[in-house]
Amino acid sequence: MSEIRYAVGIDLGTTHCVMAAVDLHASDRDELAEGIEAIPQLTGPGAVEDRSMLPSFLYLPHPDELRPDDRTLPWGEQPAFVVGELARVMGSRTPIRLVASAKSWLCHPGVDRRAAILPVEGPEEVERVSPLQASMSYLAHLRAAWDYHHPDAPLAEQEVVLTVPASFDPAARELTAEAAAAVGLSHLVLLEEPQAALYHWILAAGDEWRKQVHIGDIILVVDLGGGTADFSLIAVTERDGALELVRVAVGDHILLGGDNMDLALAHTIRAKLAEQGAQLDPWQVQGLTHGCRHAKEILLSDSSVVAVPVVVPSRGSRLIGGTLRTELTREEVTQALMGGFFPEVDASARPASRARAALTKLGLPYAQDAAMTRHLAAFLGRQVDATRDLQGFAGSALEHASFLHPTAVLFNGGVFKAPPLLERTLAVLNGWLNAEGAPPARLLEGADLDLAVARGAAYYGYVRRGRGVRIRGGTAKSFYVGVESAVPAVPGMEPPIEALCIAPFGMEEGTHAELPPQEVGLVVGEPVRFRFFGSSVRRADHVGEVLEQWAPEEVEELEEIAATLPAEGRQPGEVVPVRLRAAVTEVGTLRLEAVPREGAESWKIEFDVRGER
Amino acid sequence: MSDSHPSFFNRLTLALRAFWRILTDEPFAASVLRLEGEMPVAAGPAVAEPPKPALRETSPDSALQLLALLQQEGRFVDFLEENVTAYSDADIGGAARVVHEGCRKVIHHYLRIEPVRAEAEGVRLTLAAGFDTAAVRLTGNVVGQPPFNGTLMHRGWRAVEIKLPRLADGHDVRVLAPAEVEL
């Protein structure tokens, strides 16, 4: 095996993937050789182009749609399934064969992520793939693209930093790592996307970054991509006289992003066209969404424009006669985006959640409240105590604060390419701060909003070799298993459940937690399921601590986990007392093990167990 | 894809075509024989005749490829093939937006186009001797010797860079837009 030459950052996004690299051999303290990697991909049948982004779409073509020649990639492969731009284009005409948002499915606890379920709307004869396979196909394409451009330094032998949303649960992280391992990426590390964005900011600011932040700063990272919203809080502290960054909190997984905004605008216009008596077919709605995105970008970047014409081309070759024409006005954009997605709300506002209708159809758990600002208020409110135990912050936390007061904000994601949306978010946040007598938060100037995460990830691969500042943080949750409490059974009532802490908050990569004193019984030869919980606010719980009751907003139930003890050397049905031990792997995934009282062996506990039911 | 250096596949098809024609076409076979006899002479260094000015055929592939992209993104062919006299200016204007937005996207994505002259149109400028006559065209009172003084009427355009998608071998560039049949 050759020496590692590159640190490669991969942003495996909900709507597109980006790959960046730092050449470790060519980089030193003064000069960093880094950049975005071009990704050759099909952009039309038989046409290949280099693009900086690979749309995260997989298209499962019918045999009569594309000839093998039409699928030829530069490295001579003719894959049966199409990935990237061509997949996106073909899918816009034939959605029943399109797999989209695989990443959101990968962290959807309601489905078996290893089962071939996508595309959900596909008819019987369309071959299906699992969310895991879809993610693997994007990674496999990126790997092939890399190897094509760097025949001397195959990706499998490079250090790869793969980004995941900060809000990904342990099961989704493990599945992501599994997908990467399956395509042969052996030197793998996971990094949270908001952290990657901050690494990119440090990279872009150069030595200046130390002057732009101070000890005691709390940086809020707001990452709003095509499909997801992700928040993180990173505190600036001091260790041995040097600045240190500590990620103190991450937000919930919110399926809400730029695509929702374009759709919202398209619906506004569609209603307007319907009033004029024009009915649009799905193909025209696609064109309309595209037109709205374009019009929105003009309206949001130039305040002197009052209205932008939007035309919906006809599908047939008669362009002039069949084209529908309308316009998108500034007021409509303001109302739909500012009012719908960035409303001015109080710091005490919380997202509305209505009871879900019975699950009749398989679908993604999209955010029910589109108001980004309410989600942000909820996050800051929940994390009001996030810095309480941090050195140097104890005094600064105001007693009467109702939410955590950030002092600086870094925005990331394509949505914020529209300056008014960024300004609005900052203004709302500063309004909350002002109401509690706190100074306004500073804006940390970001750049490259679409590509920052991949570049930051590659840079992290570089600094992890001891060549720059690192963000500490470890796990952003403490984890618990549910154990039935020992109370006399009452007929008709489930025994109350207690939560036993097995992994404390902030476990770092490559460490393991101590063994809790409590034992649980595992039945030999049968899968034994445990309820599994996580908390993003209980920072002080130690391993072995037992919660008898908790507030619903404090501890959240995750997917069940399961352990199976092999029957070797034991009687099936025998109950073996074990203790549960947590570890965080070098890759950055949580690993749970069942450790029996005697013997050196231990058994892995699986997260994603739905498929085995 | 220069004409003087045909690719392997071009040579292969040529060889197959020539094979049949030599078998079936007697005069053709005779000329091939002559050509074969002449080859060593033509390749020899003895004759230092200056090359005759020649016109070259351009390959239609990239032209068709660009046309297909303009159609795909900007409905360019649809627009040109439509009878505009039948419509009002407002209707044509609506369609022109589709064409303009899409074609502009294609031109900006696949080519880098810059003005030939950086000066503003309407200013007086001086062309020194040895200026590029291909990039600057003289009009009007064209007499005398450089330096020439004149007014910039049009800045000109130059494609600084062009990067079209690579095509698979069997790709038929003559299909500018496939017919669409919805099932």
Side-chain angles (χ1 to χ4, degrees):
Chain A
M1 177 167 334
S2 62
E3 200 191 340
I4 292 177
R5 166 92 195 262
Y6 294 96
V8 182
I10 296 179
D11 174 5
L12 190 64
T14 316
T15 53
H16 60 253
C17 305
V18 183
M19 181 159 65
V22 173
D23 185 340
L24 300 171
H25 287 190
S27 299
D28 56 40
R29 257 186 202 293
D30 305 317
E31 193 63 42
L32 200 65
E34 62 93 34
I36 292 289
E37 291 291 318
I39 307 166
Q41 57 194 284
L42 289 164
T43 54
V48 170
E49 258 182 74
D50 283 357
R51 298 258 171 118
S52 55
M53 298 196 221
L54 178 78
S56 309
F57 294 93
L58 181 69
Y59 188 78
L60 319 172
H62 185 273
D64 285 332
E65 273 187 290
L66 292 174
R67 295 169 307 154
D69 272 356
D70 291 337
R71 304 189 302 256
T72 310
L73 290 168
W75 41 93
E77 198 189 347
Q78 293 178 335
F81 299 156
V82 179
V83 166
E85 179 62 19
L86 179 60
R88 194 184 64 77
V89 171
M90 295 184 76
S92 69
R93 288 166 196 219
T94 309
I96 54 165
R97 292 181 172 271
L98 181 71
V99 177
S101 301
K103 186 180 181 179
S104 301
W105 286 102
L106 202 61
C107 65
H108 185 353
V111 299
D112 176 8
R113 277 79 57 99
R114 286 190 178 81
I117 52 168
L118 302 176
V120 171
E121 307 280 326
E124 279 295 282
E125 67 159 72
V126 174
E127 193 177 340
R128 279 157 208 261
V129 298
S130 69
L132 184 67
Q133 276 172 304
S135 301
M136 276 163 54
S137 66
Y138 306 145
L139 285 169
H141 186 98
L142 292 173
R143 180 188 161 168
W146 172 277
D147 290 352
Y148 176 67
H149 284 305
H150 304 273
D152 303 336
L155 192 60
E157 292 170 17
Q158 310 309 313
E159 164 127 359
V160 176
V161 179
L162 189 59
T163 61
V164 291
S167 48
F168 251 25
D169 64 17
R173 281 171 202 244
E174 188 167 280
L175 285 162
T176 307
E178 190 181 322
V183 302
L185 307 182
S186 45
H187 306 284
L188 180 79
V189 182
L190 299 182
L191 176 68
E192 292 172 1
E193 282 155 15
Q195 288 192 44
L198 192 66
Y199 275 117
H200 177 258
W201 176 79
I202 293 171
L203 165 71
D207 288 334
E208 284 295 301
W209 81 269
R210 284 170 211 278
K211 295 180 189 144
Q212 294 191 35
V213 293
H214 321 284
I215 294 165
D217 263 336
I218 301 169
I219 304 169
L220 167 68
V221 184
V222 181
D223 186 2
L224 200 47
T228 47
D230 209 3
F231 306 122
S232 284
L233 287 166
I234 295 164
V236 183
T237 63
E238 186 182 18
R239 181 188 268 192
D240 306 330
L243 287 187
E244 188 178 59
L245 299 169
V246 184
R247 198 268 285 102
V248 290
V250 304
D252 286 340
H253 202 68
I254 307 166
L255 291 189
L256 177 66
D259 290 358
N260 306 53
M261 299 178 194
D262 295 333
L263 265 180
L265 286 177
H267 281 297
T268 312
I269 296 280
R270 192 183 180 177
K272 208 152 90 172
L273 284 168
E275 279 171 25
Q276 298 167 16
Q279 290 300 324
L280 301 186
D281 67 20
W283 188 87
Q284 286 177 307
V285 173
Q286 291 279 348
L288 180 64
T289 312
H290 184 260
C292 283
R293 184 178 307 145
H294 181 73
K296 173 195 83 178
E297 280 163 14
I298 295 175
L299 284 168
L300 291 179
S301 57
D302 184 350
S303 57
S304 66
V305 181
V306 183
V308 175
V310 176
V311 284
V312 185
S314 66
R315 187 152 187 195
S317 68
R318 280 187 55 218
L319 181 64
I320 303 177
T323 295
L324 296 171
R325 191 173 178 284
T326 181
E327 60 178 20
L328 186 66
T329 63
R330 171 165 301 278
E331 202 189 319
E332 283 162 345
V333 170
T334 310
Q335 205 176 359
L337 295 193
M338 299 294 188
F341 291 89
F342 299 90
E344 286 194 46
V345 295
D346 291 336
S348 58
R350 295 293 178 262
S353 64
R354 66 191 136 78
R356 282 197 177 277
L359 286 175
T360 51
K361 210 167 93 176
L362 195 58
L364 285 173
Y366 288 111
Q368 300 191 343
D369 192 328
M372 246 276 307
T373 41
R374 276 198 279 272
H375 287 286
L376 183 58
F379 169 62
L380 293 175
R382 187 168 349 106
Q383 295 298 343
V384 62
D385 290 331
T387 54
R388 182 146 294 178
D389 302 326
L390 213 59
Q391 198 100 47
F393 284 81
S396 68
L398 296 166
E399 275 312 307
H400 58 272
S402 72
F403 68 98
L404 188 98
H405 294 173
T407 59
V409 192
L410 178 69
F411 290 97
N412 190 55
V415 169
F416 293 114
K417 279 194 278 192
L421 301 183
L422 187 156
E423 285 153 18
R424 174 62 165 257
T425 313
L426 192 61
V428 170
L429 173 66
N430 283 339
W432 300 340
L433 289 168
N434 190 40
E436 298 196 355
R442 306 189 307 279
L443 175 67
L444 300 183
E445 295 285 350
D448 255 0
L449 295 165
D450 278 329
L451 310 175
V453 165
R455 291 180 68 189
Y459 179 61
Y460 170 69
Y462 170 75
V463 300
R464 86 191 272 269
R465 301 172 160 259
R467 293 186 241 194
V469 70
R470 282 183 65 174
I471 303 170
R472 288 198 306 120
T475 50
K477 280 194 168 99
S478 45
F479 294 100
Y480 310 81
V481 290
V483 285
E484 282 176 15
S485 54
V487 291
V490 179
M493 230 182 91
E494 259 187 69
I497 195 133
E498 293 176 341
L500 164 66
C501 180
I502 55 167
F505 197 92
M507 280 180 70
E508 305 244 1
E509 282 160 26
T511 63
H512 57 81
E514 57 207 293
L515 280 168
Q518 295 87 343
E519 289 180 329
V520 293
L522 286 191
V523 186
V524 171
E526 291 176 18
V528 178
R529 291 166 183 281
F530 296 95
R531 288 172 71 180
F532 189 47
F533 303 87
S535 170
S536 61
V537 290
R538 298 189 60 98
R539 292 180 161 72
D541 287 351
H542 298 295
V543 168
E545 204 148 319
V546 174
L547 313 184
E548 285 170 11
Q549 51 194 1
W550 55 84
E553 66 274 7
E554 199 179 33
V555 175
E556 136 194 53
E557 178 150 15
L558 305 169
E559 270 175 281
E560 281 187 339
I561 53 175
T564 310
L565 248 57
E568 299 142 29
R570 290 191 188 80
Q571 293 293 324
E574 185 192 338
V575 176
V576 179
V578 297
R579 294 190 286 174
L580 302 180
R581 179 167 67 187
V584 178
T585 63
E586 293 290 345
V587 170
T589 53
L590 188 71
R591 187 186 159 93
L592 300 182
E593 286 173 327
V595 183
R597 200 180 293 168
E598 289 109 26
E601 49 185 348
S602 61
W603 298 280
K604 189 173 178 232
I605 299 178
E606 303 291 340
F607 288 113
D608 183 39
V609 294
R610 185 164 287 263
E612 294 156 19
R613 200 165 278 178
Chain B
M1 285 255 298
S2 146
D3 283 347
S4 54
H5 296 288
S7 73
F8 171 74
F9 285 102
N10 288 349
R11 295 203 308 275
L12 185 66
T13 19
L14 184 67
L16 293 175
R17 272 211 312 271
F19 175 74
W20 278 111
R21 221 170 140 197
I22 291 167
L23 278 188
T24 56
D25 183 342
E26 208 184 293
F28 181 73
S31 25
V32 172
L33 205 60
R34 266 199 310 280
L35 185 69
E36 206 187 24
E38 272 168 25
M39 281 309 272
V41 182
V47 195
E49 204 179 313
K52 281 187 191 153
L55 296 175
R56 70 192 149 95
E57 298 285 334
T58 59
S59 150
D61 282 20
S62 40
L64 292 173
Q65 201 189 348
L66 188 60
L67 202 52
L69 289 167
L70 291 171
Q71 161 65 16
Q72 186 187 316
E73 298 290 332
R75 309 289 294 271
F76 188 61
V77 180
D78 289 344
F79 186 66
L80 296 185
E81 287 299 305
E82 206 158 3
N83 177 13
V84 292
T85 50
Y87 298 102
S88 71
D89 283 4
D91 284 343
I92 298 173
R97 285 189 189 280
V98 176
V99 179
H100 180 262
E101 188 193 317
C103 294
R104 187 182 161 85
K105 194 173 131 194
V106 169
I107 295 295
H108 285 208
H109 187 86
Y110 297 102
L111 294 104
R112 195 151 65 83
I113 296 182
E114 286 176 359
V116 173
R117 302 291 308 198
E119 296 92 342
E121 286 171 9
V123 302
R124 300 280 300 171
L125 52 82
T126 304
L127 297 170
F131 69 93
D132 182 357
T133 50
V136 179
R137 182 185 300 150
L138 304 176
T139 60
N141 188 22
V142 187
V143 289
Q145 298 298 318
F148 294 119
N149 289 307
T151 309
L152 183 65
M153 302 307 289
H154 192 290
R155 307 169 75 186
W157 295 113
R158 187 201 301 273
V160 187
E161 209 179 300
I162 176 158
K163 197 168 191 330
L164 289 171
R166 281 171 282 175
L167 294 179
D169 262 341
H171 186 79
D172 186 357
V173 286
R174 288 168 306 173
V175 179
L176 299 178
E180 282 184 27
V181 179
E182 182 133 326
L183 305 183

